[in-house]
Amino acid sequence: MTPSRLRLVSASDLQWLGGALALSCFPHLLEQPLWLALSLAAILLVLTRLSADQRARLPRYSHLILGAVVAVLVFQAYQTLVGREGGVAILMALSIVKLLETRTLRDVRGLLLLMFLLSGLALLHGQAPWQAAYALISTLAVLYAAQRIELGNTLPMGINLKSSSRMILEGIPIAILLFVLFPRLPAPLWAIPDHSSAKTGLSGDQMTPGSIGNMIQDESVAFRVSFKDKAPPQANMYWRGPVFEDFDGISWQPAYGQNRDQNALRFQAVPKIIGEGEVYSYSITLEPHQQSWLLALDMPTHIPANANLSNRLQIVSNQVVSEKKRIELSAQLSWRTVNDSPRQIERSLILPADLNPKSRALALSWAHLPPRDRVAAGLNWLRNNDFSYTLSPPVLTSRHRIDEFLFTHRQGFCEHYASAFAFMMRAAGLPARVVTGYQGAQQNADYWIVRQADAHAWTEVWYADQGWQRVDPTFVISPSRITAGIGLSIDSTELPFMMRQDNAWLRNLRLKADILVHGWNQWVVGYDQKRQNELLKKLGIDDFLSSAFLLWLIGGLLAILGSFAAWLLYKSQPPRPDAASRIFRRFIRKLAPMDKAASETAQAFAARAQAQYPHLAKHIEAITHLYLNARYGNDPAALPALEQAVRQMPRARQP
Amino acid sequence: MTPQSREMLQRLHQAEQQLNQIILGKAATMRLALIGILARGHLLLEDVPGVGKTTMAHALATVLGLRFARVQFTSDLLPADLLGVSVYERSMEAFRFHPGPIFTQVLLADEINRATPKTQSALLEAMAEQQVTIDGETNALPTPFFVIATQNPQAQIGTFALPESQLDRFLLRLELGYPDAKAERALLQGISRQDVLSGLSPMLSAEQLQEAQQDIAQIKLAEPLLDYIQALISATREDQRFSCGLSTRAALGLVQACKASAWLEARSMVIPEDVQRIFPALAGHRLILRQSGRSDPHIAEQLMYSVAIP
């Protein structure tokens, strides 16, 4: 007889195996270049449909040849067979080829293990809730196929599905324990910079008119915010991002470029922020934007670890944000800055020569006023000259773009106003710069969502007594943009769906789904080394080498396995007998070595016992009568009497 | 137990005594027959000819004070022969229904498996609904109404086996079997059974029988016994030897019969003894063996002893 592991598998088994393999490969195929994904899928399909006859006719080394072919294909796509992308691709491709040499149950088992691995590896491509759900589903499919093949297709479909699901459910407590306790690495192993992800959201490189207007069409989430105690009014929710200082007549650029030498300069001579008024503590869960700057409520007074305040009062992370990042911050809504660098202030007065003469002339007329009155005069001028707020302003083409905007079209979006206002203030002799970021937020349950469409630009001016202060010229043109958000301030057809005011129910549904995503980000994806350390400290674990850690890990595992074992024992036990039958058991034990057969009635047993022990006949008869009354007659008096009678009866044989 | 029911019980015991005088040495079977009647069930007597099946049925009807009719089932028996016919009566210028032998209280259907399925199924409605429908008109049968059917298990030629649906309508199947030597000698020595039969006197009336049946409904059935009954029923359903297990109707019948058994012993509650007394007679004809297509009362008994009493 052949051992079971050498049992040949049937064609239908192979089809099930192929189906489960397809499910576990699917998320990986989505990540491949289209030509590679299609060819691997085609190979998988052909191998699954191959009949036993056709397999037998294939040359002996066909699986080696096919393996070499897919390796070449994967190398073609990635120029490597290791690393995150190439490694996963070659593992998947070879798993597919493995189908060709799967003949016995032993081969199937090997392939099944690979499929479990592939199902889990799908989370390398992303860790959204639906991706985790898919990983569970493909694991379920692999389990289903495993049970079907191992048990020779004897289980009905429903029962197999049920027991496969149960296996997954039973694994969940252990998964949770390991999730909480297993040492986290400072950064995930797979956080190798990855060429495919483009930078999204605000640009830190430059700001030209239209750069923010284009973002209005993007309703994707930029970040989510949870305030610890209370949230500030929406009109004060200015989320500070990149600051721009150099203007060339067309676009605004930051003071320092992104290269390493200049980067170091950003943290020299940092001014000090002195906050006033209420402190708002909050945490931001930032979507990956592949930039190093972070966003913070204006003005940040507490900076998270792993990040620094730049001399432009911008919070910059030590690393590029390539995955969801959770940061803890606090802010105060009024502030002054001290120790501002004189060089920086000078730089904030520079204007391109010979450009925009009309605007300069206008601004020069305010130059004699005190600084605050210059700002007021500028805002007043904007307010009184028929400016309008629109997403589709006429394109500025002339050399003097600020003049063209201020004196010809008078239609623009926030970046037009921020840029023109900063220009005028500089011309009027007041240091000014442009700050970009987001303004406003949408409340959903207990947190706030900020979308790309909330992107905004405003102006900052410098006063000798208070330092850098925010001035938002857009507020003068369209106050509702600031107080009520972008959705109420412009024509809805120009807006993406989630920013509009119609179809409330569908939007509500999506907001409800966002609550799930937010919770997932907070508790699953955001559970990083720092949070793990905090949690483990509470459990008395200081480091992973301590005995406390081992105690929790091993104790937890034992507790879970032990409770499963206890539950199984409990399930397999017959229900606890009622009082009457327990007492009757005692009576039977007194008559040892006689015993009652399971299907013997009390009376039949009594008759036998009376014949065996005539001297106890009276006891036996009375006890049997009481037992029948207590157990079947619901006679409450019989039970105590039975107990007494059994106690009084002597043992049949003295030990 | 009220004095009335005590008196009724006494009368039933006297009736049972009379039965035991006429069918010698079959006390347990007589008890089961009484239980069947008290539980409002129909009886199936299965045995070889000449062991007193007909005598027993007749005696049962007589001592219980019930009207009795006997129909010999043959292959040419038509439903109308059993149920009755409508005949045009010239004097009344209308059809008049002439009730058949089924309009009685105890119907002895002798050799039921000799009749065609059509006639057997005519009996089916009568047994299940206590009514017959002829020419679209429904006529109620007298109450109480019992069918005692006999069949010969050996002579299979020229017979139509009762379908399972019909077998399920018989509460109990009883076997008489040959009397033991002592009883047989007494039979041989004694006077003719016909004479004994004609000397029997009714011990109670049809009304009293119904009162007894109502009394029986008061018997207690504790939870552990329901557990036991359910365990037995599910054992028959899980056993792969049988083409199908016991129906819910059978389980209900078992409950009724157990109560009747307890009542006949002047007990106020059912005990496992009652279940074990009845189960083989109740399950025997319902459990058809998959392999042979026949039933075997001993297998039902075996199965019963394989189930633990909870």
Side-chain angles (χ1 to χ4, degrees), chain B residues 157-212:
Chain B
I157 299 164
T159 63
F160 301 92
L162 288 176
E164 277 155 40
S165 61
Q166 194 142 1
L167 280 174
D168 198 29
R169 292 189 150 76
F170 287 100
L171 177 65
L172 302 176
R173 179 182 64 176
L174 306 177
E175 285 170 357
L176 281 171
Y178 296 117
D180 58 26
K182 197 176 138 208
E184 197 153 39
R185 177 166 289 246
L187 277 168
L188 296 175
Q189 282 173 337
I191 46 168
S192 143
R193 293 295 107 185
Q194 272 310 317
D195 294 345
V196 182
L197 206 53
S198 55
L200 288 179
S201 52
M203 282 296 128
L204 66 169
S205 64
E207 290 74 34
Q208 283 171 318
L209 182 64
Q210 278 173 315
E211 275 173 42

Side-chain angles (χ1 to χ4, degrees), chain A residues 491-542:
Chain A
D491 186 14
S492 72
T493 51
E494 286 180 289
L495 285 171
F497 178 74
M498 286 307 282
M499 308 307 281
R500 278 187 233 164
Q501 303 298 315
D502 50 349
N503 281 331
W505 64 273
L506 195 56
R507 221 171 10 253
N508 275 337
L509 203 69
R510 285 181 55 180
L511 284 175
K512 288 277 187 304
D514 196 85
I515 293 178
L516 177 80
V517 173
H518 181 64
W520 177 263
N521 290 343
Q522 293 284 302
W523 298 108
V524 180
V525 180
Y527 186 74
D528 53 7
Q529 195 185 27
K530 183 163 160 280
R531 296 193 95 186
Q532 186 181 37
N533 281 340
E534 285 168 11
L535 182 76
L536 296 190
K537 280 234 166 57
K538 283 185 197 154
L539 299 179
I541 301 172
D542 292 328

Side-chain angles (χ1 to χ4, degrees), chain A residues 578 596-604 625 627-635, chain B residues 220-222 224-225 228 267 269-273 276 304-310:
Chain A
D578 50 282
K596 187 174 92 66
S599 67
E600 196 177 22
T601 64
Q603 279 184 330
H625 181 74
Y627 166 69
L628 292 177
N629 273 319
R631 186 127 197 265
Y632 303 117
N634 299 333
D635 181 354
Chain B
K220 268 181 255 172
L221 185 72
L225 271 163
Y228 186 33
R267 243 187 295 113
M269 76 279 188
V270 178
I271 60 173
E273 240 76 25
Q276 292 198 346
M304 179 179 82
Y305 285 120
S306 72
V307 175
I309 302 171

Side-chain angles (χ1 to χ4, degrees), chain A residues 33-81:
Chain A
L34 188 66
W35 60 271
L36 183 59
L38 287 181
S39 27
L40 288 177
I43 293 175
L44 175 58
L45 189 70
V46 169
L47 292 186
T48 309
R49 309 291 307 176
L50 223 51
S51 75
D53 260 14
Q54 289 164 326
R55 278 163 170 273
R57 264 184 275 128
L58 284 174
R60 271 180 71 193
Y61 296 110
S62 49
H63 60 278
L64 292 181
I65 297 164
L66 192 59
V69 168
V70 296
V72 168
L73 289 181
V74 171
F75 191 82
Q76 194 64 35
Y78 294 101
Q79 307 304 317
T80 173
L81 295 180

Side-chain angles (χ1 to χ4, degrees), chain A residues 114-183:
Chain A
L114 282 172
M115 282 151 69
F116 282 122
L117 183 62
L118 284 171
S119 301
L121 284 179
L123 293 173
L124 282 182
H125 304 305
Q127 296 164 326
W130 62 267
Q131 280 164 316
Y134 186 87
L136 279 183
I137 290 171
S138 78
T139 308
L140 181 70
V142 179
L143 273 174
Y144 183 94
Q147 287 212 86
R148 192 180 189 279
I149 298 168
E150 287 279 347
L151 300 178
N153 189 22
T154 50
L155 284 186
M157 199 164 165
I159 293 181
N160 187 345
L161 209 56
K162 219 169 114 180
S163 81
S164 304
S165 320
R166 235 183 61 187
M167 284 185 219
I168 289 187
L169 288 181
E170 284 167 354
I172 283 179
I174 293 182
I176 291 176
L177 182 82
L178 292 180
F179 174 81
V180 172
L181 289 184
F182 198 82

